[in-house]
Amino acid sequence: VRFIHRIGAYRFQDLVADELQGLTNATNAALGEAVELALKDSDIPPAMQQYLQSNVFIFSGFKTHTELTLASSLLRDDKGQIKPFNRFLEDIKTIDNTYNRSYLQAEYNFAVSSAQAAAKWQAFAADGDDTLLQYRTAKDERVREQHRLLDGITLPASDSFWDKYFAPNGWNCRCNVVQVSSKRYKPTDHDAAMQAGDAATYLPDSKGRNRAAIFRFNPGKQQIIFPPNHPYYSRK
């Protein structure tokens, strides 16, 4: 905050400044810890784990850029003059509370679930289609109605359904994918499964944009933790 106030602006080139790198590094440390926690008992290749941690660092940088861009927009008053420091500090406390508390908690939880999903996919891919994969919700009153549409969908690992609808499918999603026997379960119709996946990840905002579409990815297949189309990445 003092850095932005002192220079009177924020540019993305400033991310390399020590004062601003501290925020990226702190965010990366928190989210990286979530990945380490999720993978501590998993047997995944070191290269894959490095991909996942690198993705967390990139995400942390874009998150910092988003925060600082918003903070700099509050730097000046209605007359275009730089606000006194204490007023500026007070004005951006909402950004800090939103991004470094509320959002960060949801991102931490997602990082844990996403890393676990990536490790699972590694094991599922190794087994091929010897078994089927089945989508399961937590089966309680907290399950989102959209996610109930996916409960019980059963398909081979090679089915393209899993490219887009592998859990987690939202912030704080508790859904899971497990291996089941092909002798006990029959595969779901592919087209019906895809339609359910589209419906389960459809959450339009006030402008009609689908906020849930970003979750249509597979952490293990793509070797990333966070959605590749997350809004943080949309900033110029």
Side-chain angles (χ1 to χ4, degrees), residues 40-210:
K40 67 177 182 178
D41 297 323
S42 300
D43 183 20
I44 67 171
M48 182 177 182
Q49 185 159 353
Q50 185 174 355
Y51 280 130
L52 299 179
Q53 290 288 11
S54 294
N55 178 250
V56 168
F57 179 76
I58 293 170
F59 180 86
S60 299
F62 274 93
K63 177 182 172 75
T64 298
H65 174 59
T66 301
E67 290 183 72
L68 297 179
T69 299
L70 293 174
S72 65
S73 71
L74 300 176
L75 183 61
R76 298 178 183 273
D77 59 24
D78 295 339
K79 297 180 180 179
Q81 301 297 314
I82 294 179
K83 299 174 183 175
F85 177 76
N86 287 339
R87 179 182 169 189
F88 177 50
L89 178 62
E90 191 65 28
D91 287 347
I92 68 169
K93 282 183 178 180
T94 299
I95 296 175
D96 178 43
N97 187 63
T98 298
Y99 281 84
N100 300 319
R101 295 179 185 273
S102 300
Y103 287 2
L104 186 62
Q105 183 64 62
E107 290 158 358
Y108 183 96
N109 294 342
F110 190 89
V112 171
S113 297
S114 191
Q116 291 172 339
K120 279 188 175 184
W121 181 258
Q122 184 75 16
F124 294 164
D127 290 342
D129 287 345
D130 291 341
T131 59
L132 298 173
L133 303 184
Q134 186 174 86
Y135 193 104
R136 293 180 179 177
T137 67
K139 300 184 186 298
D140 59 24
E141 68 282 355
R142 293 169 53 201
V143 173
R144 282 163 255 197
E145 289 303 315
Q146 297 103 312
H147 291 192
R148 293 186 196 278
L149 300 172
L150 298 175
D151 190 43
I153 287 180
T154 306
L155 291 163
S158 60
D159 195 285
S160 61
F161 171 85
W162 303 115
D163 294 352
K164 298 172 65 176
Y165 306 115
F166 199 86
N169 274 307
W171 302 119
N172 297 314
C173 174
R174 298 172 298 136
C175 295
N176 194 14
V177 178
V178 300
Q179 287 180 311
V180 296
S181 171
S182 57
K183 295 180 179 179
R184 182 177 179 185
Y185 295 93
K186 293 182 179 180
T188 305
D189 176 76
H190 169 79
D191 291 339
M194 295 298 289
Q195 289 178 4
D198 287 344
T201 53
Y202 181 69
L203 188 63
D205 62 15
S206 59
K207 296 182 179 180
R209 296 171 297 194
N210 183 11

Side-chain angles (χ1 to χ4, degrees), residues 4 10-15 20 23-24 27 58-72 99 231-236:
I4 295 175
Y10 163 72
R11 307 166 304 162
F12 74 88
Q13 294 93 334
D14 296 327
L15 279 173
L20 304 191
L23 180 54
T24 296
T27 303
I58 293 170
F59 180 86
S60 299
F62 274 93
K63 177 182 172 75
T64 298
H65 174 59
T66 301
E67 290 183 72
L68 297 179
T69 299
L70 293 174
S72 65
Y99 281 84
Y232 290 162
Y233 301 137
S234 67
R235 296 203 170 267
K236 294 182 180 179

